[in-house]
C-alpha cells in the first residue's frame, strides 16, 4: 500500500450492495478484474469462488469498480456449538483510490449484514489489511484455528495470527480458552 494522502470520497462514488444472484455477469466480471489487479494478480479461481454466494458491497466511480468486499455464510464450531458466521472475503480497493475511506465504507455495509444475519463475523487479514479491521473493532482471535477436512480435523497454525472476529448485534464473541474455532472445509485456502 502506498502512503498517499487521505482525501474525501468523490460525489460520483456509489456504494451498492447485492447478493451474488442479483449481480449481472458484467458487474461480476468488473469486480473480479478489480480484485485481480488490486491483489497484483495473486487472486485466483478459488479465491473468487470463496467470495460468491453471499452479499457483495462495492463502490463504483465514473471509471468502474473501485472497492469491494463480500460476506458469505460459513459454519464454525466452537465449544460444541455450530455457529452461522458471516465470513468476509475479497476486500480490496483499486490502487489509485486507496486511503480515501472506501474500504471502510465497504466494511460498514458488510458489518450491517453480519449484525443482521450471523452470530459473529470472521475474516483472515493480510498484514496490509489488518489495520483497517482493527480500527473498526475487529479482534484478533487468540486461540487455535482448525478446519474439518476430508480426512478429519486439520490444525491451521498459519491462520492463528491473522484471523479476526467481530461481535454481531451485541452478542459475545467465542472465548479462546473454551476451545478452537473449527471452520468448514473448502477448496484452496481454507480461511
Amino acid at each position: 500500500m502506498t502512503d498517499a494522502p487521505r482525501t474525501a470520497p468523490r460525489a460520483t462514488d456509489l456504494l451498492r450492495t447485492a447478493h451474488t444472484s442479483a449481480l449481472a455477469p458484467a458487474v461480476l466480471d468488473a469486480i473480479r478484474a478489480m480484485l485481480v489487479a488490486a491483489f497484483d494478480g495473486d487472486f485466483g479461481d478459488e479465491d473468487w469462488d470463496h467470495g460468491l454466494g453471499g452479499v457483495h458491497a462495492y463502490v463504483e466511480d465514473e471509471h468502474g469498480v473501485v472497492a469491494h468486499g463480500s460476506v458469505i455464510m460459513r459454519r464454525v464450531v466452537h465449544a460444541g456449538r455450530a455457529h452461522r458466521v458471516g465470513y468476509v472475503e475479497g476486500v480490496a480497493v483499486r490502487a489509485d483510490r486507496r486511503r480515501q475511506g472506501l474500504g471502510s465504507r465497504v466494511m460498514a455495509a458488510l458489518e450491517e449484514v453480519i449484525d443482521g444475519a450471523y452470530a459473529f463475523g470472521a475474516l483472515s487479514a493480510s498484514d496490509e489489511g489488518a489495520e483497517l479491521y482493527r480500527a473498526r473493532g475487529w479482534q484478533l482471535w487468540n486461540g487455535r484455528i482448525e478446519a474439518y477436512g476430508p480426512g478429519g480435523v486439520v490444525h491451521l497454525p498459519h491462520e492463528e495470527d491473522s484471523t479476526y472476529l467481530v461481535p454481531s448485534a451485541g452478542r459475545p464473541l467465542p472465548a479462546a480458552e473454551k476451545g478452537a474455532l473449527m471452520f468448514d472445509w473448502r477448496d484452496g485456502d481454507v480461511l
Side-chain angles (χ1 to χ4, degrees):
M1 290 187 165
T2 62
D3 288 329
R6 188 174 178 89
T7 59
R10 299 176 187 168
T12 56
D13 293 343
L14 182 60
L15 174 69
R16 299 180 187 270
T17 58
H19 190 275
T20 302
S21 65
L23 295 173
V27 173
L28 289 169
D29 290 345
I31 291 170
R32 186 173 185 174
M34 188 281 296
L35 288 169
V36 169
F39 286 105
D40 296 324
D42 189 21
F43 190 85
D45 292 342
E46 290 169 338
D47 299 313
W48 176 243
D49 186 63
H50 292 169
L52 300 177
V55 175
H56 299 260
Y58 61 103
V59 178
E60 294 178 303
D61 69 6
E62 64 275 10
H63 302 292
V65 176
V66 296
H68 172 270
S70 63
V71 61
I72 55 107
M73 198 276 294
R74 303 232 10 222
R75 286 285 179 192
V76 176
V77 173
H78 177 262
R81 181 166 178 232
H83 301 274
R84 288 172 16 102
V85 173
Y87 198 84
V88 174
E89 292 284 356
V91 177
V93 177
R94 200 173 67 201
D96 66 316
R97 295 295 311 275
R98 292 182 181 148
R99 302 283 186 229
Q100 297 176 20
L102 297 172
S104 288
R105 287 184 68 195
V106 164
M107 287 303 299
L110 298 178
E111 289 161 359
E112 275 189 46
V113 174
I114 291 167
D115 278 346
Y118 299 106
F120 58 92
L123 58 80
S124 181
S126 66
D127 291 340
E128 298 82 20
E131 180 182 338
L132 168 66
Y133 308 124
R134 283 191 303 266
R136 298 193 57 77
W138 289 72
Q139 300 168 31
L140 182 65
W141 171 254
N142 291 314
R144 187 175 171 97
I145 299 287
E146 298 174 342
Y148 288 108
V153 175
V154 177
H155 181 209
L156 302 172
H158 58 283
E159 295 292 346
E160 292 173 352
D161 63 349
S162 64
T163 299
Y164 285 78
L165 307 179
V166 70
S168 170
R171 295 181 190 108
L173 286 174
E177 60 273 8
K178 291 187 177 181
L181 290 180
M182 291 183 277
F183 285 82
D184 54 355
W185 189 259
R186 62 186 186 176
D187 291 335
D189 292 333
V190 177
L191 294 189

